[in-house]
Amino acid sequence: MKTIATIFFIFFIGTAAQAQNNITDVKVETVEMTIVNETAYELNLDTKTEVARLYKFKNSRVKKALSFTTKRNKAKMA
């Protein structure tokens, strides 16, 4: 019974898929593009003074973030 129902279902889906009317009359609007021969570049050479942090130890921010403790990290008496 399951096999017959599966075959009927596949046949029904295949028939329904073929019965679709696929009318694809899509009209495309054309756009004219002009060719640009010259390009203008503006170069900004303003110097900005930026401050970089210098840490005494390598990866100190990462080590600090990984060494956190919570209230539940403490050992309990059994």
Side-chain angles (χ1 to χ4, degrees), residues 6-8 12 17 25 37 39-40 43 45-46 48 52-53 56 60 63 66-69 73 77:
T6 305
I7 292 172
F8 179 73
F12 177 74
D25 291 334
N37 292 333
T39 56
L43 188 59
L45 296 176
D46 293 338
K48 296 179 182 178
R53 293 185 180 186
K56 194 171 188 177
S60 64
K63 289 179 183 177
L66 291 176
S67 66
F68 71 96
T69 57
N73 278 357
M77 290 286 269

mmCIF file of all heavy atoms in Angstrom, residues 6-8 12 17 25 37 39-40 43 45-46 48 52-53 56 60 63 66-69 73 77:
data_model
loop_
_atom_site.group_PDB
_atom_site.id
_atom_site.type_symbol
_atom_site.label_atom_id
_atom_site.label_comp_id
_atom_site.label_asym_id
_atom_site.label_seq_id
_atom_site.Cartn_x
_atom_site.Cartn_y
_atom_site.Cartn_z
ATOM 1 N N THR A 6 3.175 5.967 -2.809
ATOM 2 C CA THR A 6 4.369 6.710 -3.195
ATOM 3 C C THR A 6 4.417 6.911 -4.704
ATOM 4 O O THR A 6 4.714 8.017 -5.182
ATOM 5 C CB THR A 6 5.627 5.975 -2.710
ATOM 6 O OG1 THR A 6 5.523 5.763 -1.311
ATOM 7 C CG2 THR A 6 6.876 6.777 -3.019
ATOM 8 N N ILE A 7 4.142 5.871 -5.473
ATOM 9 C CA ILE A 7 4.145 5.977 -6.933
ATOM 10 C C ILE A 7 3.064 6.952 -7.390
ATOM 11 O O ILE A 7 3.288 7.787 -8.277
ATOM 12 C CB ILE A 7 3.958 4.588 -7.581
ATOM 13 C CG1 ILE A 7 5.199 3.733 -7.323
ATOM 14 C CG2 ILE A 7 3.691 4.706 -9.081
ATOM 15 C CD1 ILE A 7 5.059 2.297 -7.744
ATOM 16 N N PHE A 8 1.857 6.871 -6.780
ATOM 17 C CA PHE A 8 0.785 7.800 -7.134
ATOM 18 C C PHE A 8 1.185 9.243 -6.810
ATOM 19 O O PHE A 8 0.925 10.152 -7.592
ATOM 20 C CB PHE A 8 -0.490 7.421 -6.372
ATOM 21 C CG PHE A 8 -1.643 8.344 -6.659
ATOM 22 C CD1 PHE A 8 -2.294 8.295 -7.884
ATOM 23 C CD2 PHE A 8 -2.061 9.269 -5.723
ATOM 24 C CE1 PHE A 8 -3.342 9.157 -8.150
ATOM 25 C CE2 PHE A 8 -3.102 10.129 -5.983
ATOM 26 C CZ PHE A 8 -3.752 10.073 -7.198
ATOM 27 N N PHE A 12 1.540 12.220 -9.492
ATOM 28 C CA PHE A 12 0.734 13.423 -9.346
ATOM 29 C C PHE A 12 1.598 14.682 -9.357
ATOM 30 O O PHE A 12 1.274 15.664 -10.015
ATOM 31 C CB PHE A 12 -0.067 13.353 -8.035
ATOM 32 C CG PHE A 12 -0.875 14.587 -7.766
ATOM 33 C CD1 PHE A 12 -2.025 14.844 -8.489
ATOM 34 C CD2 PHE A 12 -0.486 15.495 -6.799
ATOM 35 C CE1 PHE A 12 -2.773 15.989 -8.251
ATOM 36 C CE2 PHE A 12 -1.212 16.628 -6.553
ATOM 37 C CZ PHE A 12 -2.368 16.879 -7.270
ATOM 38 N N ALA A 17 3.678 19.422 -12.237
ATOM 39 C CA ALA A 17 4.824 20.237 -12.636
ATOM 40 C C ALA A 17 4.822 20.495 -14.136
ATOM 41 O O ALA A 17 5.221 21.572 -14.598
ATOM 42 C CB ALA A 17 6.119 19.558 -12.216
ATOM 43 N N ASP A 25 7.738 36.225 -21.111
ATOM 44 C CA ASP A 25 7.944 37.324 -22.040
ATOM 45 C C ASP A 25 8.404 38.527 -21.229
ATOM 46 O O ASP A 25 7.619 39.416 -20.891
ATOM 47 C CB ASP A 25 6.658 37.659 -22.803
ATOM 48 C CG ASP A 25 6.284 36.559 -23.775
ATOM 49 O OD1 ASP A 25 7.196 35.837 -24.204
ATOM 50 O OD2 ASP A 25 5.088 36.439 -24.106
ATOM 51 N N ASN A 37 36.979 58.634 -20.314
ATOM 52 C CA ASN A 37 38.388 58.555 -20.677
ATOM 53 C C ASN A 37 39.307 59.112 -19.606
ATOM 54 O O ASN A 37 40.458 58.716 -19.498
ATOM 55 C CB ASN A 37 38.649 59.296 -21.994
ATOM 56 C CG ASN A 37 38.002 58.583 -23.165
ATOM 57 O OD1 ASN A 37 37.808 57.380 -23.118
ATOM 58 N ND2 ASN A 37 37.649 59.320 -24.190
ATOM 59 N N THR A 39 39.994 60.216 -15.512
ATOM 60 C CA THR A 39 39.565 60.084 -14.131
ATOM 61 C C THR A 39 40.373 61.052 -13.283
ATOM 62 O O THR A 39 41.575 61.239 -13.505
ATOM 63 C CB THR A 39 39.794 58.647 -13.614
ATOM 64 O OG1 THR A 39 41.157 58.312 -13.792
ATOM 65 C CG2 THR A 39 38.918 57.656 -14.350
ATOM 66 N N ALA A 40 39.722 61.667 -12.326
ATOM 67 C CA ALA A 40 40.395 62.641 -11.466
ATOM 68 C C ALA A 40 40.571 62.028 -10.084
ATOM 69 O O ALA A 40 39.614 61.563 -9.475
ATOM 70 C CB ALA A 40 39.572 63.920 -11.378
ATOM 71 N N LEU A 43 44.365 63.355 -3.899
ATOM 72 C CA LEU A 43 45.242 62.711 -2.932
ATOM 73 C C LEU A 43 45.328 63.580 -1.691
ATOM 74 O O LEU A 43 45.702 64.745 -1.762
ATOM 75 C CB LEU A 43 46.634 62.514 -3.544
ATOM 76 C CG LEU A 43 47.615 61.685 -2.739
ATOM 77 C CD1 LEU A 43 47.058 60.290 -2.489
ATOM 78 C CD2 LEU A 43 48.924 61.585 -3.476
ATOM 79 N N LEU A 45 47.115 64.101 1.786
ATOM 80 C CA LEU A 45 48.322 63.713 2.510
ATOM 81 C C LEU A 45 48.381 64.307 3.914
ATOM 82 O O LEU A 45 49.458 64.606 4.424
ATOM 83 C CB LEU A 45 49.572 64.140 1.722
ATOM 84 C CG LEU A 45 49.764 63.468 0.375
ATOM 85 C CD1 LEU A 45 50.975 64.044 -0.339
ATOM 86 C CD2 LEU A 45 49.941 61.966 0.560
ATOM 87 N N ASP A 46 47.235 64.488 4.539
ATOM 88 C CA ASP A 46 47.243 65.000 5.910
ATOM 89 C C ASP A 46 47.801 63.934 6.838
ATOM 90 O O ASP A 46 47.377 62.772 6.810
ATOM 91 C CB ASP A 46 45.827 65.357 6.355
ATOM 92 C CG ASP A 46 45.277 66.541 5.577
ATOM 93 O OD1 ASP A 46 46.091 67.300 5.032
ATOM 94 O OD2 ASP A 46 44.045 66.701 5.537
ATOM 95 N N LYS A 48 48.219 62.214 10.341
ATOM 96 C CA LYS A 48 47.486 62.085 11.592
ATOM 97 C C LYS A 48 48.408 61.436 12.612
ATOM 98 O O LYS A 48 49.087 60.460 12.303
ATOM 99 C CB LYS A 48 46.248 61.212 11.397
ATOM 100 C CG LYS A 48 45.233 61.807 10.456
ATOM 101 C CD LYS A 48 44.055 60.889 10.300
ATOM 102 C CE LYS A 48 43.053 61.467 9.321
ATOM 103 N NZ LYS A 48 41.927 60.567 9.110
ATOM 104 N N ALA A 52 49.818 54.462 19.693
ATOM 105 C CA ALA A 52 49.787 53.013 19.790
ATOM 106 C C ALA A 52 50.147 52.620 21.209
ATOM 107 O O ALA A 52 51.058 53.180 21.815
ATOM 108 C CB ALA A 52 50.773 52.388 18.807
ATOM 109 N N ARG A 53 49.407 51.663 21.761
ATOM 110 C CA ARG A 53 49.692 51.223 23.117
ATOM 111 C C ARG A 53 50.815 50.200 23.093
ATOM 112 O O ARG A 53 50.851 49.321 22.257
ATOM 113 C CB ARG A 53 48.451 50.600 23.738
ATOM 114 C CG ARG A 53 47.357 51.601 23.947
ATOM 115 C CD ARG A 53 46.212 50.984 24.658
ATOM 116 N NE ARG A 53 45.169 51.972 24.857
ATOM 117 C CZ ARG A 53 44.084 51.759 25.555
ATOM 118 N NH1 ARG A 53 43.891 50.590 26.117
ATOM 119 N NH2 ARG A 53 43.185 52.698 25.686
ATOM 120 N N LYS A 56 53.859 45.896 28.262
ATOM 121 C CA LYS A 56 55.124 45.395 28.777
ATOM 122 C C LYS A 56 55.299 43.906 28.458
ATOM 123 O O LYS A 56 56.394 43.453 28.178
ATOM 124 C CB LYS A 56 55.178 45.628 30.288
ATOM 125 C CG LYS A 56 56.531 45.478 30.889
ATOM 126 C CD LYS A 56 56.501 45.945 32.327
ATOM 127 C CE LYS A 56 57.895 45.983 32.887
ATOM 128 N NZ LYS A 56 57.922 46.490 34.253
ATOM 129 N N SER A 60 49.222 40.606 26.664
ATOM 130 C CA SER A 60 48.723 40.859 28.012
ATOM 131 C C SER A 60 47.200 41.001 28.035
ATOM 132 O O SER A 60 46.567 40.580 28.989
ATOM 133 C CB SER A 60 49.379 42.102 28.599
ATOM 134 O OG SER A 60 49.018 43.234 27.841
ATOM 135 N N LYS A 63 45.799 37.418 27.832
ATOM 136 C CA LYS A 63 46.024 36.686 29.075
ATOM 137 C C LYS A 63 45.123 37.196 30.180
ATOM 138 O O LYS A 63 44.616 36.432 30.988
ATOM 139 C CB LYS A 63 47.487 36.790 29.490
ATOM 140 C CG LYS A 63 48.412 35.992 28.602
ATOM 141 C CD LYS A 63 49.861 36.134 29.035
ATOM 142 C CE LYS A 63 50.783 35.382 28.092
ATOM 143 N NZ LYS A 63 52.179 35.574 28.447
ATOM 144 N N LEU A 66 41.624 35.823 29.584
ATOM 145 C CA LEU A 66 41.499 34.386 29.814
ATOM 146 C C LEU A 66 41.678 33.988 31.268
ATOM 147 O O LEU A 66 41.372 32.864 31.642
ATOM 148 C CB LEU A 66 42.524 33.628 28.946
ATOM 149 C CG LEU A 66 42.264 33.666 27.449
ATOM 150 C CD1 LEU A 66 43.388 32.970 26.719
ATOM 151 C CD2 LEU A 66 40.939 33.016 27.113
ATOM 152 N N SER A 67 42.169 34.887 32.100
ATOM 153 C CA SER A 67 42.438 34.522 33.487
ATOM 154 C C SER A 67 41.328 34.976 34.429
ATOM 155 O O SER A 67 41.559 35.146 35.611
ATOM 156 C CB SER A 67 43.760 35.137 33.934
ATOM 157 O OG SER A 67 43.641 36.550 33.947
ATOM 158 N N PHE A 68 40.108 35.156 33.938
ATOM 159 C CA PHE A 68 39.030 35.600 34.803
ATOM 160 C C PHE A 68 38.562 34.448 35.699
ATOM 161 O O PHE A 68 38.756 33.279 35.392
ATOM 162 C CB PHE A 68 37.854 36.135 33.990
ATOM 163 C CG PHE A 68 37.084 35.069 33.261
ATOM 164 C CD1 PHE A 68 35.949 34.532 33.821
ATOM 165 C CD2 PHE A 68 37.488 34.621 32.024
ATOM 166 C CE1 PHE A 68 35.229 33.553 33.164
ATOM 167 C CE2 PHE A 68 36.790 33.647 31.356
ATOM 168 C CZ PHE A 68 35.649 33.106 31.938
ATOM 169 N N THR A 69 37.988 34.787 36.823
ATOM 170 C CA THR A 69 37.436 33.785 37.738
ATOM 171 C C THR A 69 36.017 34.188 38.099
ATOM 172 O O THR A 69 35.670 35.362 38.125
ATOM 173 C CB THR A 69 38.268 33.691 39.036
ATOM 174 O OG1 THR A 69 38.305 34.973 39.647
ATOM 175 C CG2 THR A 69 39.665 33.203 38.755
ATOM 176 N N ASN A 73 34.008 29.212 40.899
ATOM 177 C CA ASN A 73 35.272 28.534 40.685
ATOM 178 C C ASN A 73 35.899 28.056 41.990
ATOM 179 O O ASN A 73 36.811 27.252 41.981
ATOM 180 C CB ASN A 73 36.273 29.468 39.991
ATOM 181 C CG ASN A 73 36.042 29.507 38.505
ATOM 182 O OD1 ASN A 73 35.195 28.812 37.970
ATOM 183 N ND2 ASN A 73 36.789 30.343 37.817
ATOM 184 N N MET A 77 33.683 22.579 50.315
ATOM 185 C CA MET A 77 33.966 21.521 51.283
ATOM 186 C C MET A 77 32.948 20.415 51.118
ATOM 187 O O MET A 77 31.746 20.670 51.022
ATOM 188 C CB MET A 77 33.888 22.088 52.719
ATOM 189 C CG MET A 77 35.023 23.015 53.036
ATOM 190 S SD MET A 77 36.532 22.132 53.287
ATOM 191 C CE MET A 77 36.433 21.884 55.017
#
